[in-house]
Amino acid sequence: MPVWCCRCSLAGHLRDYSDTETEGEIYNSLVQYFGDNLGPKAKGMPLVEETSLLEDSSVTLPVVIVGNGPSGICLSYMLSGYRPYLSPEAMHPNSILHSKLEEARHLSIVDQDLEYLSEGLEGRSSNPVAVLFDTLLHPDADFGYDYPSVLHWKLEQHQYIPHLNMEGSMLTISFGSWMELPGLKFKDWMSSKRRNLKGDRVMPEEIARYYKHYVNVMGLQKNFRENTYITSVSRLYRDQGDNGSQDRDISTKRLQNQKSKFIKRNWEIRGYQRIAGGSHVPFCLFAENVALATGTLDSPAHLEVEGEELPFVFHSLPEFGAAVNRGELCGRVDPVLIVGSGLTAADAVLCAYNNNIPVIHVFRRRVTDPSLIFKQLPQKLYPEYHKVYDMMCTQTHSADSDAVSEYTSFPEHRVLSFKSDMKCVLQSDSGLKRIFKLSAAVVLIGSHPNLSFLKEQGCYLGRHSSRPITCKGNPVEVDAYTYECVKEANLFALGPLVGDNFVRFLKGGALAVTRCLATRQKKKQHLFVERGGGDGIA
């Protein structure tokens, strides 16, 4: 049962993340850094015939994964037939969960009741399967323990049903072990590279190389089609009263008025492939199921103020980091303005601070706001972010001075405008305005997924159908144990689209989707046998 994985980006590249960031920023940062750069190096997937893919619009696939990140890699891994089992010597510290696992030790986790296993578990995800899988892979990680995974993996090729790839230079928020994917310990891979981990911190470029190596060593590269861009994913319908009619896309309004008249058919995926020489070759293929693993970082949020389009104003950390690495900001006395109160903004502060670039840090919230992400991170595990938070609290601006030191925070302030002479105007909540000369500005206040290839920009899939999809405020609404969209059968979503920002937790989505698809495949095979269709091997 083959799976075809597309890298989805209408503009041809990926971008930034969110104002209320969580650890998922590193996922976004990785894709920002690496999403555009590795495509030509990847081996394409020989789907049916390498030369026939784009010409043969009759190709129908069981699954198409739209995305290019850890979610897609992990889903490909499990759909490729890799199955997690309870290790013979394992003893999970949660005795209740362990006893449940013992009841069906002979079965892979994919074949077990995920709802039953998830009961009573708590963690830093609102999705129960994400919490379950994380506690199996990293028992009691949130309590600071480094217990080994209780799972071991087997490749069962008869279970085959498969996707991804990525590179940069910035500290990650997650420990290396939390960034790792199933079946290949990050520390083991790092040891093979003869690099010692300092305080378990790693660089995104190392994570990217690890992910690339993972795809190759697990044999997943055949599932990827690089330099491919999706322009449309639409559901096809057939008129129920006319068996000879063609499958077609039906407008939302007509469906609402005449829903009983139409039978749901497959998904139609349209797009183009960029080939040698820069030309674009259009394609159209069909899929029984589509999995959205695009992340939430395509469209960086803007302040929507005057002058924001000026060239000294950046909207992503990689753009700013590249300017620093090129030496464009070194030796300047004018500060860099950093806007935002999340972890991406904190990374920008650290980047500037560590390169002796003075910083003006502007954010709308109070430093005592309990929703600030810094208050949710253990200080022992994330000392550098607590250093930034400490500066935010203690190195605030003086009301009677416009002087700027190495770092100055401006809580409860907003940017009114940017000027062509590289000045910005700030305003406090009390209405007081200040003007500063800058060397650069970095606006890191969030981003949204680009789901323009779906009808209604994908809004109808969210918990609030009248609003755009956002990771925290309006994620895609999915079944808790299958990750199938509540409002669209045979369409799945995982990763940041459903609120699983941590790389740790997005793996749970891959488990849930795999279980759902594998269960349905078995039912089809069973019906095939019952109807005398042969030996039941599809």
Side-chain angles (χ1 to χ4, degrees), residues 86-105 117 121 136 150:
L86 181 65
S87 296
E89 70 286 353
M91 179 62 70
H92 198 283
N94 183 321
S95 58
I96 296 175
L97 176 59
H98 187 80
S99 65
K100 291 180 180 180
L101 294 168
E102 285 284 5
E103 292 171 11
R105 176 182 280 276
L117 293 178
L121 298 180
L136 295 175
V150 298

mmCIF file of all heavy atoms in Angstrom, residues 86-105 117 121 136 150:
data_model
loop_
_atom_site.group_PDB
_atom_site.id
_atom_site.type_symbol
_atom_site.label_atom_id
_atom_site.label_comp_id
_atom_site.label_asym_id
_atom_site.label_seq_id
_atom_site.Cartn_x
_atom_site.Cartn_y
_atom_site.Cartn_z
ATOM 1 N N LEU A 86 6.191 -3.597 23.296
ATOM 2 C CA LEU A 86 6.750 -3.477 24.642
ATOM 3 C C LEU A 86 8.016 -4.321 24.719
ATOM 4 O O LEU A 86 8.003 -5.512 24.395
ATOM 5 C CB LEU A 86 5.734 -3.955 25.686
ATOM 6 C CG LEU A 86 6.182 -3.870 27.146
ATOM 7 C CD1 LEU A 86 6.380 -2.417 27.572
ATOM 8 C CD2 LEU A 86 5.155 -4.552 28.057
ATOM 9 N N SER A 87 9.110 -3.702 25.127
ATOM 10 C CA SER A 87 10.382 -4.430 25.235
ATOM 11 C C SER A 87 10.285 -5.515 26.294
ATOM 12 O O SER A 87 9.648 -5.322 27.337
ATOM 13 C CB SER A 87 11.516 -3.467 25.598
ATOM 14 O OG SER A 87 11.729 -2.526 24.574
ATOM 15 N N PRO A 88 10.912 -6.660 26.065
ATOM 16 C CA PRO A 88 10.827 -7.786 27.015
ATOM 17 C C PRO A 88 11.269 -7.407 28.420
ATOM 18 O O PRO A 88 10.683 -7.849 29.403
ATOM 19 C CB PRO A 88 11.757 -8.830 26.394
ATOM 20 C CG PRO A 88 11.812 -8.489 24.946
ATOM 21 C CD PRO A 88 11.691 -7.007 24.860
ATOM 22 N N GLU A 89 12.330 -6.567 28.522
ATOM 23 C CA GLU A 89 12.882 -6.238 29.840
ATOM 24 C C GLU A 89 12.311 -4.947 30.407
ATOM 25 O O GLU A 89 12.678 -4.529 31.512
ATOM 26 C CB GLU A 89 14.411 -6.116 29.749
ATOM 27 C CG GLU A 89 14.926 -4.894 28.994
ATOM 28 C CD GLU A 89 14.759 -4.975 27.473
ATOM 29 O OE1 GLU A 89 14.345 -6.056 26.976
ATOM 30 O OE2 GLU A 89 15.035 -3.970 26.794
ATOM 31 N N ALA A 90 11.385 -4.325 29.698
ATOM 32 C CA ALA A 90 10.923 -2.991 30.084
ATOM 33 C C ALA A 90 10.016 -3.035 31.308
ATOM 34 O O ALA A 90 9.226 -3.964 31.497
ATOM 35 C CB ALA A 90 10.187 -2.340 28.919
ATOM 36 N N MET A 91 10.123 -1.986 32.127
ATOM 37 C CA MET A 91 9.236 -1.796 33.262
ATOM 38 C C MET A 91 8.894 -0.309 33.316
ATOM 39 O O MET A 91 9.710 0.513 33.706
ATOM 40 C CB MET A 91 9.911 -2.237 34.568
ATOM 41 C CG MET A 91 9.031 -2.026 35.795
ATOM 42 S SD MET A 91 7.491 -2.999 35.753
ATOM 43 C CE MET A 91 8.161 -4.651 35.988
ATOM 44 N N HIS A 92 7.678 0.032 32.882
ATOM 45 C CA HIS A 92 7.308 1.442 32.867
ATOM 46 C C HIS A 92 7.086 1.934 34.296
ATOM 47 O O HIS A 92 6.486 1.220 35.109
ATOM 48 C CB HIS A 92 6.032 1.653 32.043
ATOM 49 C CG HIS A 92 5.827 3.072 31.626
ATOM 50 N ND1 HIS A 92 5.359 4.042 32.487
ATOM 51 C CD2 HIS A 92 6.054 3.694 30.448
ATOM 52 C CE1 HIS A 92 5.310 5.198 31.858
ATOM 53 N NE2 HIS A 92 5.717 5.017 30.609
ATOM 54 N N PRO A 93 7.576 3.139 34.632
ATOM 55 C CA PRO A 93 7.400 3.646 35.998
ATOM 56 C C PRO A 93 5.937 3.858 36.390
ATOM 57 O O PRO A 93 5.619 3.877 37.574
ATOM 58 C CB PRO A 93 8.169 4.982 35.979
ATOM 59 C CG PRO A 93 8.352 5.329 34.541
ATOM 60 C CD PRO A 93 8.404 4.036 33.809
ATOM 61 N N ASN A 94 5.049 4.009 35.409
ATOM 62 C CA ASN A 94 3.613 4.093 35.697
ATOM 63 C C ASN A 94 3.078 2.664 35.754
ATOM 64 O O ASN A 94 2.886 2.002 34.734
ATOM 65 C CB ASN A 94 2.909 4.894 34.597
ATOM 66 C CG ASN A 94 1.430 5.096 34.868
ATOM 67 O OD1 ASN A 94 0.741 4.201 35.352
ATOM 68 N ND2 ASN A 94 0.915 6.258 34.529
ATOM 69 N N SER A 95 2.850 2.161 36.951
ATOM 70 C CA SER A 95 2.501 0.745 37.137
ATOM 71 C C SER A 95 1.160 0.382 36.481
ATOM 72 O O SER A 95 0.989 -0.737 35.976
ATOM 73 C CB SER A 95 2.463 0.399 38.629
ATOM 74 O OG SER A 95 1.526 1.225 39.309
ATOM 75 N N ILE A 96 0.211 1.323 36.492
ATOM 76 C CA ILE A 96 -1.093 1.045 35.874
ATOM 77 C C ILE A 96 -0.940 0.898 34.366
ATOM 78 O O ILE A 96 -1.459 -0.050 33.754
ATOM 79 C CB ILE A 96 -2.100 2.168 36.206
ATOM 80 C CG1 ILE A 96 -2.360 2.208 37.710
ATOM 81 C CG2 ILE A 96 -3.395 1.968 35.438
ATOM 82 C CD1 ILE A 96 -3.251 3.361 38.140
ATOM 83 N N LEU A 97 -0.205 1.812 33.754
ATOM 84 C CA LEU A 97 0.034 1.715 32.317
ATOM 85 C C LEU A 97 0.809 0.448 31.987
ATOM 86 O O LEU A 97 0.508 -0.241 31.006
ATOM 87 C CB LEU A 97 0.803 2.949 31.827
ATOM 88 C CG LEU A 97 1.208 2.941 30.342
ATOM 89 C CD1 LEU A 97 -0.012 2.817 29.442
ATOM 90 C CD2 LEU A 97 2.007 4.201 30.006
ATOM 91 N N HIS A 98 1.776 0.119 32.825
ATOM 92 C CA HIS A 98 2.573 -1.078 32.556
ATOM 93 C C HIS A 98 1.712 -2.344 32.584
ATOM 94 O O HIS A 98 1.869 -3.224 31.733
ATOM 95 C CB HIS A 98 3.716 -1.206 33.560
ATOM 96 C CG HIS A 98 4.658 -2.323 33.220
ATOM 97 N ND1 HIS A 98 5.650 -2.204 32.268
ATOM 98 C CD2 HIS A 98 4.727 -3.603 33.686
ATOM 99 C CE1 HIS A 98 6.293 -3.345 32.170
ATOM 100 N NE2 HIS A 98 5.764 -4.205 33.016
ATOM 101 N N SER A 99 0.805 -2.413 33.527
ATOM 102 C CA SER A 99 -0.055 -3.598 33.594
ATOM 103 C C SER A 99 -0.961 -3.696 32.372
ATOM 104 O O SER A 99 -1.236 -4.790 31.867
ATOM 105 C CB SER A 99 -0.880 -3.587 34.883
ATOM 106 O OG SER A 99 -1.782 -2.490 34.894
ATOM 107 N N LYS A 100 -1.405 -2.560 31.858
ATOM 108 C CA LYS A 100 -2.201 -2.562 30.628
ATOM 109 C C LYS A 100 -1.369 -3.070 29.451
ATOM 110 O O LYS A 100 -1.853 -3.843 28.610
ATOM 111 C CB LYS A 100 -2.720 -1.156 30.324
ATOM 112 C CG LYS A 100 -3.782 -0.636 31.284
ATOM 113 C CD LYS A 100 -4.211 0.773 30.883
ATOM 114 C CE LYS A 100 -5.273 1.338 31.802
ATOM 115 N NZ LYS A 100 -5.685 2.709 31.419
ATOM 116 N N LEU A 101 -0.134 -2.618 29.390
ATOM 117 C CA LEU A 101 0.745 -3.051 28.302
ATOM 118 C C LEU A 101 1.023 -4.544 28.373
ATOM 119 O O LEU A 101 1.112 -5.235 27.351
ATOM 120 C CB LEU A 101 2.061 -2.271 28.355
ATOM 121 C CG LEU A 101 1.972 -0.765 28.085
ATOM 122 C CD1 LEU A 101 3.280 -0.081 28.459
ATOM 123 C CD2 LEU A 101 1.637 -0.505 26.617
ATOM 124 N N GLU A 102 1.138 -5.055 29.582
ATOM 125 C CA GLU A 102 1.412 -6.490 29.760
ATOM 126 C C GLU A 102 0.249 -7.351 29.269
ATOM 127 O O GLU A 102 0.453 -8.477 28.816
ATOM 128 C CB GLU A 102 1.682 -6.789 31.238
ATOM 129 C CG GLU A 102 3.053 -6.343 31.733
ATOM 130 C CD GLU A 102 4.170 -7.264 31.265
ATOM 131 O OE1 GLU A 102 3.889 -8.193 30.481
ATOM 132 O OE2 GLU A 102 5.317 -7.061 31.687
ATOM 133 N N GLU A 103 -0.969 -6.801 29.345
ATOM 134 C CA GLU A 103 -2.145 -7.574 28.934
ATOM 135 C C GLU A 103 -2.091 -7.976 27.464
ATOM 136 O O GLU A 103 -2.645 -9.006 27.078
ATOM 137 C CB GLU A 103 -3.418 -6.739 29.176
ATOM 138 C CG GLU A 103 -3.726 -6.503 30.638
ATOM 139 C CD GLU A 103 -4.874 -5.497 30.796
ATOM 140 O OE1 GLU A 103 -5.535 -5.180 29.774
ATOM 141 O OE2 GLU A 103 -5.112 -5.030 31.921
ATOM 142 N N ALA A 104 -1.425 -7.159 26.655
ATOM 143 C CA ALA A 104 -1.373 -7.445 25.212
ATOM 144 C C ALA A 104 0.061 -7.319 24.708
ATOM 145 O O ALA A 104 0.318 -6.753 23.653
ATOM 146 C CB ALA A 104 -2.295 -6.500 24.450
ATOM 147 N N ARG A 105 0.981 -7.874 25.486
ATOM 148 C CA ARG A 105 2.397 -7.769 25.143
ATOM 149 C C ARG A 105 2.703 -8.308 23.745
ATOM 150 O O ARG A 105 3.624 -7.844 23.063
ATOM 151 C CB ARG A 105 3.229 -8.517 26.191
ATOM 152 C CG ARG A 105 4.714 -8.553 25.897
ATOM 153 C CD ARG A 105 5.469 -9.351 26.938
ATOM 154 N NE ARG A 105 5.706 -8.562 28.146
ATOM 155 C CZ ARG A 105 6.720 -7.714 28.291
ATOM 156 N NH1 ARG A 105 7.546 -7.507 27.282
ATOM 157 N NH2 ARG A 105 6.882 -7.070 29.411
ATOM 158 N N LEU A 117 -5.347 2.593 26.621
ATOM 159 C CA LEU A 117 -3.991 2.835 27.108
ATOM 160 C C LEU A 117 -3.805 4.279 27.561
ATOM 161 O O LEU A 117 -2.997 4.554 28.454
ATOM 162 C CB LEU A 117 -2.973 2.507 26.016
ATOM 163 C CG LEU A 117 -2.840 1.038 25.597
ATOM 164 C CD1 LEU A 117 -1.829 0.892 24.474
ATOM 165 C CD2 LEU A 117 -2.451 0.160 26.786
ATOM 166 N N LEU A 121 -3.700 9.343 31.765
ATOM 167 C CA LEU A 121 -2.376 9.928 31.544
ATOM 168 C C LEU A 121 -2.481 11.439 31.393
ATOM 169 O O LEU A 121 -3.441 11.956 30.837
ATOM 170 C CB LEU A 121 -1.722 9.331 30.298
ATOM 171 C CG LEU A 121 -1.459 7.825 30.320
ATOM 172 C CD1 LEU A 121 -0.808 7.393 29.000
ATOM 173 C CD2 LEU A 121 -0.563 7.439 31.503
ATOM 174 N N LEU A 136 5.541 6.547 26.570
ATOM 175 C CA LEU A 136 6.164 5.268 26.234
ATOM 176 C C LEU A 136 7.592 5.460 25.736
ATOM 177 O O LEU A 136 8.484 4.657 26.041
ATOM 178 C CB LEU A 136 5.335 4.536 25.165
ATOM 179 C CG LEU A 136 3.933 4.098 25.584
ATOM 180 C CD1 LEU A 136 3.182 3.509 24.392
ATOM 181 C CD2 LEU A 136 3.989 3.094 26.728
ATOM 182 N N VAL A 150 10.335 2.289 26.702
ATOM 183 C CA VAL A 150 9.911 0.919 27.008
ATOM 184 C C VAL A 150 9.550 0.164 25.736
ATOM 185 O O VAL A 150 9.055 -0.963 25.805
ATOM 186 C CB VAL A 150 8.710 0.906 27.988
ATOM 187 C CG1 VAL A 150 9.098 1.547 29.307
ATOM 188 C CG2 VAL A 150 7.490 1.583 27.372
#
